[in-house]
Amino acid sequence: MSTTPWLQERLKVAEQAADTLAQEFGADVWLVGALAEGLAHRQSDVDLLLVTPEPVAAPGSRLLGGIRVDVRAETGQTVNEWRRLLDAFAVTREDIATFRTVRERLGDLTLLRTARPLTHVCDEANLCEILLPEQRVTYQRWALADRCEAAASLSEDLLGLAQAGLYPHADLVWDQLARAVAQAETVAAGAPLLGEKWLPSLLSKDDADRFRPVPALPEPRWLSAAAHSPFFASVQARLADALLALWPTNAEPEPVDEAGLGGFGWLPQRYSDGWFLRRGDVRVPLTDGQMRAWQHSAARRART
């Protein structure tokens, strides 16, 4: 964790506010969000989650030493309902109802993923892990699936914009896609799904005091995209690598229609019932071996 003065100042404020709230409400107080992950800037707020036995009036925000503390109150029952969404990664191509629910609650699940208790002692008998290790893995899979869905939606826009000749609009969406792919990579590497502004830190979390820019995508060639789009292979390969980090397979590569399924707009996804490629509303299932072959093909095209 970084030791910048503004980070340390906010951590102290969080502890002070937590002590006051715990006495006032008789409840647990958790530090959540970017600050809980050691990320802050000179104007950062402090985000706290008050976990109460019964519903209480929202404490709202307060200022401590010129720093705003935002407090959200939820009952333990509500928090346990969030936890249950992390008990299993359960979404299939034929039934995505749970996925819709999870995507709507992903911000709440991220609170759980980042939460650090502030109001009780942590020891071997009283562990401070808000989530079990397997629940953290399930969070990764839901968050990565969310980013892949976002990338698929952006790619669908790119198809339509390129076909309509709206190239300046497509350029803007292409930049959005670069950030969505980078978020997918940070999630696959174990980071929570935080705001885009934290990507330079999340992308370099293993590098001391260094920040990596969001990797740029190749320059697009919209005029020929429908027939020839090697620039899109970088997106395909990076998303495939992120997915395979969470769904590894030793299957031998199997034949796959690389020409028909490797063009502009096709992106990989993994649900609990297996792999598939998606473009728009079309989904083509793949075996583990076919996915390996498709990944290798995308990587080759990305290097050309």
Side-chain angles (χ1 to χ4, degrees), residues 144 148 181 184-186 188-189 237-247:
L144 181 54
C148 288
V181 172
E185 290 170 327
T186 61
R238 288 170 59 188
L239 283 181
D241 289 346
L243 286 162
L244 283 162
L246 295 189
W247 300 96

Side-chain angles (χ1 to χ4, degrees), residues 54 119 277:
E54 301 294 335
T119 54
L277 298 179

Side-chain angles (χ1 to χ4, degrees), residues 181 185 217 230-245 262 266-268 291 294-303:
V181 172
E185 290 170 327
L217 295 176
F231 65 87
F232 195 76
S234 178
V235 177
Q236 296 169 321
R238 288 170 59 188
L239 283 181
D241 289 346
L243 286 162
L244 283 162
W266 287 104
L267 288 178
M291 183 61 209
W294 190 88
Q295 175 207 22
H296 292 165
S297 176
R300 286 195 303 272
R301 293 194 304 275
R303 291 192 295 267

Side-chain angles (χ1 to χ4, degrees), residues 61-199:
S61 301
R62 56 193 68 189
L63 285 177
L64 286 178
I67 296 173
R68 189 171 72 183
V69 179
D70 292 326
V71 185
R72 177 176 172 179
E74 297 289 352
T75 66
Q77 178 181 348
T78 297
V79 170
N80 284 332
E81 290 172 358
W82 297 349
R83 277 199 183 95
R84 282 194 285 274
L85 293 174
L86 297 178
D87 285 341
F89 179 77
V91 55
T92 68
R93 291 185 296 275
E94 303 302 324
D95 182 9
I96 62 171
T98 301
F99 192 17
R100 290 196 182 101
T101 299
V102 170
R103 294 194 79 190
E104 291 172 356
R105 301 241 65 106
L106 197 52
D108 298 329
L109 299 184
T110 300
L111 294 184
L112 280 183
R113 165 60 183 80
T114 60
R116 304 287 184 269
L118 294 176
T119 54
H120 60 267
V121 177
C122 302
D123 54 36
E124 291 184 1
N126 187 23
L127 298 177
C128 281
E129 290 293 334
I130 301 300
L131 297 177
L132 298 172
E134 54 268 31
Q135 290 174 318
R136 291 169 70 92
V137 172
T138 302
Y139 169 85
Q140 279 184 277
R141 289 176 171 171
W142 283 125
L144 181 54
D146 171 82
R147 290 298 81 197
C148 288
E149 289 289 329
S153 178
L154 291 170
S155 295
E156 187 173 5
D157 284 337
L158 287 173
L159 281 169
L161 291 168
Q163 290 168 348
L166 299 174
Y167 305 136
H169 306 72
D171 286 336
L172 293 176
V173 178
W174 188 241
D175 291 339
Q176 290 179 288
L177 183 58
R179 294 191 292 274
V181 172
Q183 285 179 310
E185 290 170 327
T186 61
V187 167
L193 189 56
L194 299 175
E196 289 182 1
K197 67 184 177 185
W198 296 117
L199 274 172

